[in-house]
Amino acid sequence: EVQLVESGGGLVQPGGSLRLSCAASGFIFASYAMTWVRQAPGKGLEWVASISRRGIETSYADSVKGRFTISRDASKRTLYLQLTSLRTEDTAIYYCIKNRGAELDDYQMSSRGQGTQVTVSS
């Protein structure tokens, strides 16, 4: 059974940083691209970033490019998202997703974990 457990969220001031983690189990982690998405209050799910199976290729939404960094550690079976220069509009529940294969853009929103809340507020 595929399990994705996100953690690392919290309350942070504008301009602050957080590192989110996603512990993966139930599948061969190194065989799949991975993705982060988020859902702000009252809005739909928004793609944030994706990473290739070996972590060599990454892709970011324009809204987070230059501020967020996606990475992965195969030995720990963990996906990360480093958030820096946070803005109030980054407030959302952040979810990780196991892609359907090797392609960065081949994923289903329904395959996400339970999420971790990030709140950016002064």
Side-chain angles (χ1 to χ4, degrees):
E1 177 188 1
V2 172
Q3 286 197 332
L4 301 167
V5 180
E6 300 92 337
S7 62
L11 174 64
V12 62
Q13 292 186 342
S17 300
L18 283 173
R19 189 176 81 155
L20 308 183
S21 299
C22 171
S25 62
F27 64 100
I28 301 173
F29 184 68
S31 294
Y32 295 87
M34 297 290 292
T35 291
W36 285 98
V37 300
R38 67 185 181 184
Q39 186 167 27
K43 297 188 177 181
L45 288 163
E46 174 192 19
W47 170 70
V48 174
S50 297
I51 188 167
S52 61
R53 291 176 296 175
R54 296 185 180 182
I56 296 173
E57 185 179 359
T58 58
S59 182
Y60 297 91
D62 288 343
S63 59
V64 307
K65 197 172 295 182
R67 300 188 299 119
F68 291 7
T69 303
I70 188 172
S71 62
R72 63 192 296 166
D73 186 332
S75 65
K76 296 182 179 180
R77 301 174 57 83
T78 300
L79 176 72
Y80 301 101
L81 186 68
Q82 180 71 45
L83 288 64
T84 63
S85 301
L86 281 161
R87 305 167 181 169
T88 55
E89 56 262 39
D90 294 318
T91 294
I93 300 173
Y94 285 73
Y95 302 92
C96 65
I97 294 176
K98 165 188 162 293
N99 287 33
R100 292 195 287 190
E103 299 300 320
L104 267 65
D105 60 354
D106 187 12
Y107 60 90
Q108 292 178 302
M109 293 291 194
S110 60
S111 299
R112 64 189 187 273
Q114 89 291 345
T116 186
Q117 175 72 50
V118 172
T119 302
V120 184
S121 175
S122 56

